[in-house]
Amino acid sequence: MNHEVFKDLVPNYLEHLTSDETRRLMEDHMESCPECREYLEDMKEEGMGRQVEQRTAERKQIDYLKTVRSKNKKRIIVVIASMLGLFVILAVVNHILFVSMWIADQENVDTTIQKDQSSITMTFKSKKDDRYLLAIQNELNQPYTDEIIIYESWDLIPPPSWLPYGEISDQFRDGVSVTYTFADKDTLILNDGKKIKLTDDDKVTVRYDGRTEEIRLKDLFNGKKE
């Protein structure tokens, strides 16, 4: 085997791609040829050097990617934590300003009664500019509204329009109303059109914080509460 053929086969030899016969011929040649043997050793060292460089470069690339991922992970954690913190703050503020309600103090409520032919309307409005009211109507013992609970809530800033209670705030900012319809002073017309005869015991109870007010429906027909 001449030197040129040997040198051409060295790369395959180092990568174990030569046949067993070729490998044996090359090893036999190196036993009698110091030049080719030295060439093989140089190629090994050069190949190992390239591998070391390649592995070093790969480690540097891996370390760089780990550093980038670590920084990105920290940024993501900080962003998520900040968003969660902001969400919690907004949720608390939102609950305080727009959702939380409590039974109103009677001293803070203005009540007016208006008569329009056969309809009598009681309107409840907060005396405070930073509040709005809601009236919860219940039929406890009668087929008509015989209990009204007056609630109030903050109205410091306009709630977002996409919130369902934002429209409630706008709707009741000027007061909340409850209407009764009469056929005459002794007869009440229910929502389904039925009529019931009124007695002196027929009344509506308006509940405030720690206080209640009872109004006879016959008195309500006359435009008064007592």
Side-chain angles (χ1 to χ4, degrees):
M1 179 179 292
N2 62 44
H3 302 304
E4 297 301 325
V5 173
F6 180 89
K7 292 178 180 179
D8 288 340
L9 292 173
V10 165
N12 289 341
Y13 177 85
L14 292 175
E15 295 181 9
H16 304 285
L17 299 177
T18 58
S19 65
D20 292 341
E21 180 65 21
T22 301
R23 188 175 189 83
R24 185 182 59 79
L25 291 173
M26 292 179 68
E27 290 173 352
D28 289 344
H29 176 76
M30 284 188 290
E31 289 180 1
S32 59
C33 181
E35 179 184 344
C36 288
R37 188 166 57 248
E38 184 179 353
Y39 179 80
L40 178 64
E41 293 300 325
D42 291 341
M43 290 294 289
K44 282 183 179 179
E45 291 179 1
E46 183 180 344
M48 290 178 65
R50 284 199 298 268
Q51 289 180 0
V52 170
E53 290 178 359
Q54 182 177 0
R55 289 175 183 173
T56 301
E58 289 176 352
R59 281 198 299 269
K60 289 182 178 180
Q61 182 68 17
I62 291 172
D63 291 342
Y64 172 75
L65 292 175
K66 286 182 178 179
T67 301
V68 171
R69 289 176 181 174
S70 178
K71 290 181 179 180
N72 289 339
K73 185 177 180 180
K74 289 179 180 178
R75 290 194 187 102
I76 292 173
I77 292 174
V78 170
V79 170
I80 292 175
S82 300
M83 292 179 65
L84 287 175
L86 180 60
F87 176 79
V88 170
I89 293 173
L90 290 177
V92 172
V93 173
N94 176 71
H95 181 80
I96 293 174
L97 295 182
F98 305 129
V99 179
S100 62
M101 302 196 73
W102 57 93
I103 298 180
D105 187 337
Q106 187 178 17
E107 299 298 325
N108 297 332
V109 179
D110 236 341
T111 304
T112 59
I113 298 176
Q114 291 182 324
K115 186 173 183 179
D116 182 13
Q117 296 181 351
S118 60
S119 294
I120 305 297
T121 299
M122 286 193 296
T123 300
F124 305 90
K125 184 177 180 180
S126 177
K127 295 180 180 179
K128 297 180 177 291
D129 293 334
D130 59 353
R131 311 284 176 85
Y132 72 92
L133 302 179
L134 280 177
I136 305 301
Q137 304 179 48
N138 298 315
E139 297 178 3
L140 297 181
N141 303 307
Q142 302 294 340
Y144 55 82
T145 296
D146 58 348
E147 180 187 64
I148 302 172
I149 306 176
I150 305 299
Y151 286 87
E152 67 178 332
S153 183
W154 296 105
D155 190 22
L156 299 179
I157 58 176
S161 59
W162 47 268
L163 292 176
Y165 40 82
E167 296 180 359
I168 293 177
S169 173
D170 289 338
Q171 181 179 356
F172 297 123
R173 186 170 287 116
D174 293 329
V176 58
S177 300
V178 179
T179 299
Y180 293 87
T181 302
F182 294 82
D184 53 54
K185 67 176 182 178
D186 296 321
T187 307
L188 183 69
I189 301 176
L190 303 179
N191 292 331
D192 59 5
K194 293 182 180 179
K195 299 179 180 179
I196 62 170
K197 287 295 182 179
L198 297 175
T199 68
D200 291 341
D201 294 330
D202 286 308
K203 58 191 175 183
V204 55
T205 300
V206 183
R207 298 192 180 277
Y208 302 95
D209 184 20
R211 299 177 65 178
T212 60
E213 180 181 16
E214 292 185 346
I215 305 172
R216 290 199 317 160
L217 291 182
K218 286 187 176 181
D219 291 334
L220 191 62
F221 177 83
N222 296 322
K224 60 182 181 178
K225 295 192 290 182
E226 297 179 352

